Amino acid sequence: CIRDSVNGASGSFASLNVDSALNVSSGSIIAVSGTLDVASTGILAGNGQINGDVSNAGAVGPGNSPGTLTINGNYDQVSAGTLDIELAGVVAGTEFDTLIVTGDVTLDGALDVSLLNAFELVDDMTFQIMDIAGTRTGTFDGLNEGSIFGSFGEKSLQISYLGGDGNDIILTAVPEPSSLALLGLGGLLIARRRRTG
């Protein structure tokens, strides 16, 4: 069980269970010869590196509002797990969270996205939230390729699992579906008036 932050120091473990909070600060390297297990009550966050596999049944949040967390191994997110991503601009690693995985990724569970510091999305803004060197199987729960989700002012996000070199996860800002429906309805009313006028 790990309850405190790892600040600037490296640590080596045969296995590691996170049932509270583990913040891996910039410059820190946690080496795990087995698997780092994030329990349902656990949170793994920070800008450091994990050398080993990570299994997420709790919450993983790259960065420290925002930033980059690197897993030099495989990442397995089960149905109880959540990936927390914060967006505050379009510059990777400094303005939005990125999870880098040098191994394979298996996805399930939730993706939770929030905006920081009154950041506003603009159409076609793109955020590569996961950089995956290996293969990816699965998707976030309820988010298939091309799914639109969230409500951020008048914008939503569209997810793609085919970004970057073909298997990285990209979010793109798009108009909210309800806004598109209203625009379409407005266009139909204008066309109808022209026909009847």
Side-chain angles (χ1 to χ4, degrees):
C1 154
I2 295 291
R3 297 186 184 279
D4 298 318
S5 296
V6 177
N7 295 311
S10 298
S12 295
F13 305 88
S15 63
L16 189 59
N17 294 319
V18 179
D19 63 6
S20 183
L22 173 60
N23 183 40
V24 186
S25 61
S26 183
S28 294
I29 299 173
I30 303 297
V32 183
S33 56
T35 299
L36 187 154
D37 287 306
V38 182
S40 61
T41 56
I43 300 169
L44 171 64
N47 288 310
Q49 294 184 43
I50 307 295
N51 290 345
D53 297 337
V54 173
S55 178
N56 178 20
V60 170
N64 286 319
S65 299
T68 300
L69 180 66
T70 301
I71 297 171
N72 293 312
N74 300 319
Y75 177 72
D76 180 18
Q77 180 169 305
V78 300
S79 60
T82 299
L83 178 63
D84 290 322
I85 296 293
E86 296 172 323
L87 310 177
V90 295
V91 179
T94 59
E95 294 184 329
F96 69 89
D97 289 337
T98 305
L99 181 63
I100 297 173
V101 181
T102 63
D104 298 331
V105 169
T106 304
L107 289 179
D108 199 352
L111 172 64
D112 185 24
V113 179
S114 57
L115 305 183
L116 298 178
N117 306 324
F119 176 59
E120 294 183 11
L121 297 174
V122 174
D123 285 350
D124 300 321
M125 278 182 173
T126 300
F127 310 91
Q128 183 172 317
I129 61 166
M130 286 189 77
D131 184 336
I132 303 167
T135 61
R136 178 204 48 84
T137 56
T139 62
F140 295 109
D141 188 29
L143 295 178
N144 296 321
E145 174 64 26
S147 291
I148 295 174
F149 68 98
S151 179
F152 306 95
E154 295 182 0
K155 304 299 176 195
S156 292
L157 291 166
Q158 184 172 37
I159 193 166
S160 176
Y161 299 91
L162 307 173
D165 58 7
N167 67 336
D168 299 323
I169 300 177
I170 303 287
L171 303 179
T172 303
V174 296
E176 257 190 356
S178 59
S179 299
L180 290 175
L182 288 174
L183 286 173
L185 180 60
L188 286 174
L189 290 174
I190 291 169
R192 189 170 190 183
R193 282 186 188 157
R194 287 183 181 160
R195 285 188 198 149
T196 59

